[in-house]
C-alpha cells in the first residue's frame, strides 16, 4: 500500500475548480486540511453561522468564544469557562416533505405563515427528534392538511442539498382518501390536477423541483430519486446543480 | 372537497400498530395531534432529549424551562426571560459516509477514537454547515484516510434512519488512485477485497449494512438506494425495518 499523497489530487471536480483557481489554496504542497469547507464558495456561510450563533454556553451560562478546539479543524463556539469547555456543534438540519396524490390529483397547502405566506406547497417541515424521515413527512402532512398516510407506503423521490444549511428528503405517496382539514399553518388546502398546479405561486424553488419531478415520475412504479444542490457561487449568485 | 376526518385513518401501518394497540391513543375520537411523535415507541427518545438538553439560554444566558411554546405541539426548552423568549429546536443530525473502491477493493479505516476504537469502517461523520452531503462524505474521506475524490462522481447508495436521532446519507465512489494516508482519527487504513472485509470487527451495524449493500451493488451501473430504519420497540429492543 502506498503511503503518500499527491497535491494533484486536490483537484476535486468541476464544482470546486473555481475555488482553487481563485488562489485560495497553495498548489504543489500537501494541504492536510480539507479544501471543501474552506473554499471561497462556502466560507461566507460558515462565517455567517459563527457570527449569528450563540452568545452563552447552554451548559453553564458562561460566555462563548470562537476558536478551533483541540483536535478539530474548524472554528467553533467554545465555552470560556475552562471547567466546562463545552463545544457547540452547529449542523445542517433535515427538512422532510410529502407529495401526496389521490386519483391523479396532488395535495397542496397554501401557507398561512411566513416565509412565503399565501404561496402554495406540499406539506413539509423540520424533522423532529424521535421520528424517522418518513414519519416526519407523515406528521407534517397531518399537521398542515389533516391527512394521514402510512409512512411505510411512501417512497423517496428527492434528496435536496440547500447551500450546506439544510438537506431535504421528499417522499411521494398515493392516499387512500381525499379527505382533509387545513391545519393552523395552512390558509387553504386543495387537491389539484397536475395541470392545475399554480406554478407561479409556489412557496420555494424546491417545491417546484419536487412537483415537476413527481409529475414526471407519476406513471413510474419505481421513481428515480432526484438529487439537486443549490449553492452560492464565487460571485454571490445562486446556482443549482444536479447531484 | 370533503372537510372531515375519520379516526380510522389513524391506523398508519405495521410500524405503528403496536403503539396504537398499547392503549396510548384514544380510538373513535378525532386526535388533532400527530400520533407519530407521541407514540410509546419514540417517547423515551424525546424525553431523553429534553432531560439531557441545555440548561441556559444561548442568546441571553437566562435559565430555560420545558414547556409547549404557543402555536407548537410539543415540549421545547424555552428561555424564562420573557424579553428574550428564545426557543431551542433540537433536531436530528446528518451523518455522511463514503464507500470508496479501487480495482474491486474497498477503503476501510480502523478507528483510533471512541466509540468503537479499534473497529473498522468506511469514512463517515457529521455533516458540517456550508457543505453538501457529497462534499461532507469527501471531506470525511480526506480527514480519515487522506484520500480525495470528486464529490460529483459519487453516487447515493444508502439512506439510514437511526431511532429518530440521526439520518445517514452514504455514497459510493470509484477512486482514481489507491494512495492514502491515515488521518489522526484512524489507527490504520487499508484497501481490502470484498471477501476480506473484517465483518466481525466493524464499528457499527450501519457500516455492515452499507458494505453488504455496496458489495451486492458492485456490478450495477446504477445502484439502488438502500433505505433502512433502526428504532426502539415497545419492549425496549432494537429493531430494523427496510424503508
Amino acid at each position: 500500500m502506498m503511503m503518500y499523497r499527491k497535491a494533484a489530487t486536490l483537484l476535486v471536480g468541476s464544482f470546486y475548480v473555481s475555488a482553487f483557481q481563485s488562489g485560495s489554496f497553495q498548489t504543489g504542497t500537501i494541504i492536510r486540511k480539507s479544501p471543501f469547507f474552506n473554499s471561497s464558495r462556502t466560507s461566507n456561510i460558515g462565517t455567517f453561522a459563527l457570527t449569528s450563533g450563540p452568545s452563552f454556553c447552554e451548559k453553564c451560562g458562561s460566555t462563548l468564544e470562537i476558536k478551533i478546539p483541540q483536535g478539530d479543524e474548524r472554528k467553533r463556539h467554545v465555552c470560556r469557562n475552562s471547567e466546562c469547555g463545552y463545544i457547540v456543534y452547529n449542523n445542517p438540519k433535515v427538512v422532510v416533505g410529502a407529495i401526496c396524490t389521490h386519483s391523479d390529483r396532488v395535495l397542496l397547502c397554501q401557507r398561512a405563515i411566513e416565509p412565503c405566506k399565501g404561496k402554495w406547497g406540499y406539506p413539509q417541515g423540520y424533522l423532529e427528534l424521535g421520528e424517522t424521515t418518513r414519519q416526519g413527512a407523515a406528521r407534517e402532512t397531518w399537521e398542515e392538511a389533516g391527512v394521514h398516510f402510512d409512512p411505510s407506503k411512501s417512497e423517496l423521490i428527492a434528496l435536496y442539498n440547500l447551500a450546506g444549511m439544510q438537506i431535504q428528503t421528499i417522499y411521494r405517496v398515493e392516499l387512500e382518501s381525499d379527505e382533509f382539514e387545513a391545519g393552523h399553518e395552512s390558509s387553504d388546502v386543495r387537491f389539484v390536477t397536475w395541470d392545475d398546479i399554480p406554478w407561479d405561486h409556489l412557496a420555494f424553488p424546491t417545491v417546484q423541483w419536487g412537483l415537476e419531478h413527481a409529475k414526471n415520475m407519476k406513471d413510474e412504479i419505481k421513481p428515480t430519486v432526484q438529487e439537486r444542490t443549490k449553492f452560492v457561487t464565487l460571485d454571490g449568485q445562486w446556482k443549482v446543480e444536479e447531484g
Side-chain angles (χ1 to χ4, degrees), chain A:
Chain A
M1 292 172 224
M2 283 167 280
M3 295 293 282
Y4 60 91
R5 179 186 306 131
K6 289 190 301 188
T9 59
L10 283 171
L11 196 65
V12 287
S14 57
F15 275 29
Y16 313 102
V17 168
S18 56
F20 283 91
Q21 289 173 340
S22 75
S24 307
F25 305 104
Q26 293 177 279
T27 54
T29 57
I30 295 173
I31 301 171
R32 188 66 189 88
K33 291 183 68 169
S34 162
F36 307 119
F37 185 81
N38 297 312
S39 73
S40 303
R41 186 164 85 60
T42 57
S43 61
N44 285 343
I45 295 164
T47 303
F48 173 79
L50 286 172
T51 55
S52 68
S55 302
F56 296 91
C57 175
E58 65 175 55
K59 296 299 181 191
C60 77
S62 301
T63 56
L64 301 171
E65 63 182 325
I66 296 173
K67 69 176 185 181
I68 299 176
Q70 192 174 11
D72 205 333
E73 295 195 342
R74 72 189 60 203
K75 289 180 180 174
R76 314 268 184 194
H77 286 93
V78 181
C79 181
R80 290 183 195 273
N81 173 4
S82 59
E83 290 184 16
C84 175
Y86 181 70
I87 302 168
V88 180
Y89 293 97
N90 200 355
N91 303 90
K93 290 183 185 286
V94 180
V95 164
V96 289
I99 298 175
C100 305
T101 53
H102 186 270
S103 300
D104 229 25
R105 292 185 303 157
V106 59
L107 178 73
L108 293 182
C109 303
Q110 186 177 38
R111 293 176 63 85
I113 55 173
E114 298 292 354
C116 299
K117 187 176 175 180
K119 303 281 187 156
W120 292 82
Y122 44 78
Q124 64 174 356
Y126 287 112
L127 182 67
E128 298 277 3
L129 289 175
E131 65 187 10
T132 70
T133 46
R134 278 188 167 80
Q135 284 175 279
R139 174 186 50 75
E140 288 289 346
T141 304
W142 171 253
E143 289 178 359
E144 295 183 17
V147 167
H148 266 298
F149 66 79
D150 177 348
S152 71
K153 297 277 168 55
S154 64
E155 299 171 288
L156 183 66
I157 193 167
L159 179 64
Y160 300 138
N161 272 268
L162 298 190
M165 297 298 286
Q166 186 181 105
I167 83 163
Q168 300 190 351
T169 60
I170 310 299
Y171 296 86
R172 79 170 185 186
V173 65
E174 175 71 11
L175 301 173
E176 294 181 0
S177 152
D178 62 356
E179 298 159 24
F180 64 84
E181 181 184 316
H184 70 272
E185 292 180 11
S186 305
S187 48
D188 196 359
V189 174
R190 297 184 190 180
F191 280 94
V192 302
T193 66
W194 292 102
D195 289 336
D196 286 337
I197 289 173
W199 297 106
D200 294 335
H201 298 89
L202 298 179
F204 309 108
T206 51
V207 171
Q208 183 179 336
W209 301 351
L211 290 173
E212 285 173 347
H213 184 59
K215 183 181 180 183
N216 290 338
M217 289 292 123
K218 72 186 181 70
D219 298 320
E220 301 290 335
I221 292 172
K222 180 71 181 169
T224 60
V225 177
Q226 182 182 58
E227 292 182 73
R228 281 195 174 169
T229 299
K230 182 179 176 184
F231 59 87
V232 184
T233 59
L234 288 175
D235 56 0
Q237 303 297 306
W238 288 107
K239 189 177 177 188
V240 175
E241 298 265 7
E242 298 295 323

